[in-house]
Amino acid sequence: MELTLKRISKTKTYTMGRLHVNGEWLCDTLEPVRRDIGPGGTERKVEGRTAIPEGRYPVVITYSDSLYGWYPLLLHVPRFTGIRIHAGNTVEHTRGCILVGYSPKPGTLIDSRLWLHRLKKRITEAKEHGEGVWITVE
């Protein structure tokens, strides 16, 4: 299964996007802001407040001790660990991760738990059928 996160709006405080499953829109996303490129071409990273780099990453569902439940986890993200897809309504809820939901206005999400449930169901079904699950962030 192929997930695609298309970032569509980048501001000084948040990043909005659209999440697609096998080419079909599923929901909106909210992430922290991407940071400026620093000396030597490296990106400045602020723990829990920096969006991950663009790229393609495998996705698994594992138990999160900090979120107290089973959540999608992105693997092999350069310079980042513990990047999950989870519920939340504002950039303050991201913890550096990707939030899913419906965006009624820029910078916010609603019905996040509903959309997270739908996404986890799709990932679980794909895994049960022996499919790998990948996300491309662009």
Side-chain angles (χ1 to χ4, degrees), residues 15-137:
T15 303
M16 297 295 303
R18 293 194 176 118
L19 185 65
H20 296 82
V21 177
N22 295 328
E24 293 184 21
W25 178 85
L26 177 72
C27 61
D28 298 319
T29 63
L30 178 62
E31 299 174 86
V33 66
R34 290 281 290 151
R35 303 287 166 186
D36 295 332
I37 303 299
T42 60
E43 181 183 23
R44 292 186 311 122
K45 177 182 173 191
V46 178
E47 190 69 34
R49 298 188 312 151
T50 302
I52 64 171
E54 288 77 16
R56 186 170 186 258
Y57 309 107
V59 178
V60 296
I61 294 180
T62 63
Y63 188 82
S64 168
D65 291 329
S66 64
L67 295 170
Y68 308 106
W70 296 85
Y71 293 90
L73 173 69
L74 280 64
L75 302 176
H76 313 301
V77 179
R79 299 181 37 227
F80 289 78
T81 59
I83 300 299
R84 299 216 178 245
I85 301 174
H86 62 87
N89 303 108
T90 67
V91 72
E92 288 80 22
H93 299 152
T94 63
R95 302 180 185 185
C97 297
I98 301 167
L99 304 181
V100 291
Y102 172 74
S103 179
K105 63 180 182 176
T108 62
L109 294 175
I110 61 172
D111 298 329
S112 194
R113 289 186 180 151
L114 169 69
W115 291 103
L116 177 63
H117 173 76
R118 290 176 179 172
L119 175 62
K120 285 175 27 177
K121 182 178 180 192
R122 299 280 299 267
I123 293 171
T124 301
E125 289 170 353
K127 294 283 188 181
E128 288 172 353
H129 288 100
E131 291 181 55
V133 179
W134 293 81
I135 185 168
T136 299
V137 180

